[in-house]
Amino acid sequence: MRGMNLDQRFPGLDDLRAHARRRLPRFVWEYLDSATGREASQARNRRCLDRIGLMPAILNGPQDVDLSTELFGSTLPLPFGIAPVGMSGLVWPDAEGHLARHAKSANLPYGLSTVASQSPEDLAPHLGEHGWFQLYPPKDETIRKDMLARARDAGFKVLVLTVDVPVASRRERQVRSGLTQPPRLTPRLLAQVAQRPTWALGMAMQHKGDGGMPHMRTLDKYIEGAAASALSSTAHIGYLLRTAPDWDYLDWLRDHWDGPLVVKGVLNAQDVPRLEAAGADAIWISNHAGRQFDAAPAPIEVLEEIRAATPLPLILDSGIEGGLDILRAMALGADFVMMGRAWHYALAALGARGPAHLTDMLTKDLAANMGQLGISDLKSARDLKRLNLD
């Protein structure tokens, strides 16, 4: 194994996922990998992607592929980015920093969650030109204005309003693992940590003043002694500040954010005209990777209907595992794809080397599958002949 390079040891996302599982305490793994309910929606994401066939082409000769795409007036070198993940830093020490730095070097969008373990100010020195701030909507208008100002001042250009988390979901695997919110090292969790010394040492060094565990630093400014004891283990301290947004909330955000505004968590094409009228600059089709509502459709199932309803850029996530999945999404009308868990599998498996390896893996997979399909650029994916593989 020592003489093998990363491509040989970890040629696919499944390899990264398996190695990540071996390196993480059980409660962290369950937080990262679990979905809600019986996890039917998570399984549906994969099943629906696998149903989509694309007809290969022959005798096209050698091709130089162009993987660039346009989004929000910028040319991006690749059609994928790093989706925001709550408490990202629980998965790996300095996860947000590693991912932001890689996004900057690769010129990819990087999304920071309101409930990540690092704040906009923490990420400001590492942020590239494509920082996206995902807002879990604060109820208080003063906090709301301040949070937007902090994101803007730190260099975030795109605001993402998450609309598919009106309440905390139930994630049974996560509950069974013993994870609490905020994370506390109980004797049960300490026993798990002791079996993962690399993770434990990294966390201890990263969070010397926080008892060796991360917390939601963006919210520190707004929470003074707020009691979270009544919250479920799948909720978090942010629920004490936030509200379930409505259409008026979206209108308020449009009036107070002067950059691109993305609405994340859309699955119903009937919502699209009103989102357009409210001034959304892009629609993010997502079922939160199966983590919120177990009866939700897979994003890929509703993509074509939403594409037919709007000329706005469409971003898609949930279940994407490789270059072929990205091409499937683009063939059905997506303009861009975001991935969340995958980057954290890569971090947990390979540490700081993980994000670059995943980018390389996805890039090579895109190019290989485009060669099979006989296309040299991503715009041509819209014209591919699609097949139902059921």
Side-chain angles (χ1 to χ4, degrees):
M1 289 282 282
R2 281 184 184 175
M4 299 172 70
N5 61 31
L6 291 182
D7 282 331
Q8 293 171 312
R9 293 182 61 191
F10 307 102
L13 187 60
D14 283 346
D15 303 292
L16 293 174
R17 181 179 181 273
H19 196 53
R21 186 172 189 175
R22 289 191 289 269
R23 282 161 57 89
L24 292 176
R26 178 170 172 257
F27 70 94
V28 178
W29 173 254
E30 297 294 78
Y31 174 74
L32 172 63
D33 194 64
S34 65
T36 191
R38 297 179 59 252
E39 303 194 337
S41 57
Q42 185 181 40
R44 190 177 303 116
N45 290 338
R46 181 67 260 158
R47 189 168 64 249
C48 290
L49 281 161
D50 286 336
R51 286 193 189 124
I52 299 165
L54 300 171
M55 183 62 75
I58 63 172
L59 297 176
N60 286 285
Q63 290 182 302
D64 293 322
V65 297
D66 177 6
L67 300 180
S68 66
T69 190
E70 302 288 324
L71 191 64
F72 302 136
S74 297
T75 300
L76 297 170
L78 295 165
F80 55 84
I82 302 171
V85 171
M87 284 299 289
S88 183
L90 178 67
V91 178
W92 200 253
D94 193 26
E96 293 94 347
H98 286 305
L99 293 172
R101 288 187 290 272
H102 173 67
K104 182 178 182 179
S105 67
N107 202 23
L108 301 177
Y110 167 72
L112 177 72
S113 172
T114 303
V115 295
S117 62
Q118 295 191 46
S119 69
E121 294 83 1
D122 294 328
L123 272 294
H126 313 296
L127 209 58
E129 290 299 310
H130 307 292
W132 298 13
F133 184 71
Q134 179 202 30
L135 184 71
Y136 279 111
K139 182 187 301 183
D140 183 271
E141 185 173 323
T142 301
I143 293 176
R144 209 183 304 164
K145 288 180 178 178
D146 187 66
M147 202 175 282
L148 295 187
R150 291 172 63 191
R152 188 183 298 110
D153 291 346
F156 289 88
K157 305 291 179 59
V158 176
L159 182 67
V160 179
L161 174 64
T162 299
V163 296
D164 63 346
V165 190
V167 295
S169 67
R170 289 174 50 79
R171 299 173 196 162
E172 286 86 342
R173 280 172 56 191
Q174 185 176 316
V175 173
R176 293 186 196 107
S177 74
L179 178 64
T180 61
Q181 291 290 356
R184 293 185 297 273
L185 287 176
T186 63
R188 178 182 175 189
L189 267 56
L190 278 168
Q192 298 177 29
V193 168
Q195 300 175 50
R196 301 292 186 264
T198 303
W199 182 93
L201 180 60
M203 283 293 171
M205 294 176 65
Q206 180 76 16
H207 301 286
K208 291 178 183 177
D210 295 321
M213 291 291 278
H215 70 281
M216 299 168 185
R217 286 175 53 85
T218 299
L219 305 182
D220 283 351
K221 182 177 180 180
Y222 314 117
I223 297 173
E224 295 181 2
S229 59
L231 294 172
S232 73
S233 64
T234 56
H236 49 69
I237 196 72
Y239 280 85
L240 298 177
L241 297 176
R242 62 192 263 194
T243 185
D246 57 16
W247 291 97
D248 289 339
Y249 197 104
L250 178 59
D251 290 338
W252 186 95
L253 282 180
R254 181 67 286 176
D255 290 340
H256 289 81
W257 181 264
D258 57 6
L261 175 61
V262 180
V263 180
K264 178 180 183 288
V266 179
L267 291 170
N268 190 342
Q270 294 180 7
D271 293 324
V272 168
R274 196 167 178 184
L275 291 171
E276 287 181 342
D281 294 295
I283 292 171
W284 190 328
I285 306 170
S286 172
N287 68 8
H288 223 99
R291 290 168 76 83
Q292 291 306 126
F293 181 54
D294 212 20
I300 200 74
E301 285 184 287
V302 300
L303 172 56
E304 284 188 291
E305 187 179 2
I306 293 176
R307 176 76 285 164
T310 184
L312 289 177
L314 297 183
I315 301 159
L316 183 137
D317 73 9
S318 301
I320 301 295
E321 296 184 9
L324 179 56
D325 288 340
I326 294 170
L327 289 171
R328 285 165 161 151
M330 302 194 91
L332 270 66
D335 296 283
F336 202 76
V337 166
M338 295 289 271
M339 303 170 73
R341 281 194 185 104
W343 299 101
H344 292 76
Y345 292 148
L347 273 176
L350 301 175
R353 299 180 299 168
H357 177 61
L358 178 58
T359 294
D360 182 64
M361 190 170 70
L362 293 171
T363 301
K364 289 175 178 175
D365 198 35
L366 275 165
N369 283 289
M370 288 171 71
Q372 292 290 332
L373 295 165
I375 59 174
S376 59
D377 58 65
L378 295 173
K379 291 179 181 177
S380 302
R382 296 277 177 91
D383 301 321
L384 291 170
K385 182 178 180 181
R386 300 189 296 277
L387 310 168
N388 188 333
L389 296 182
D390 275 349

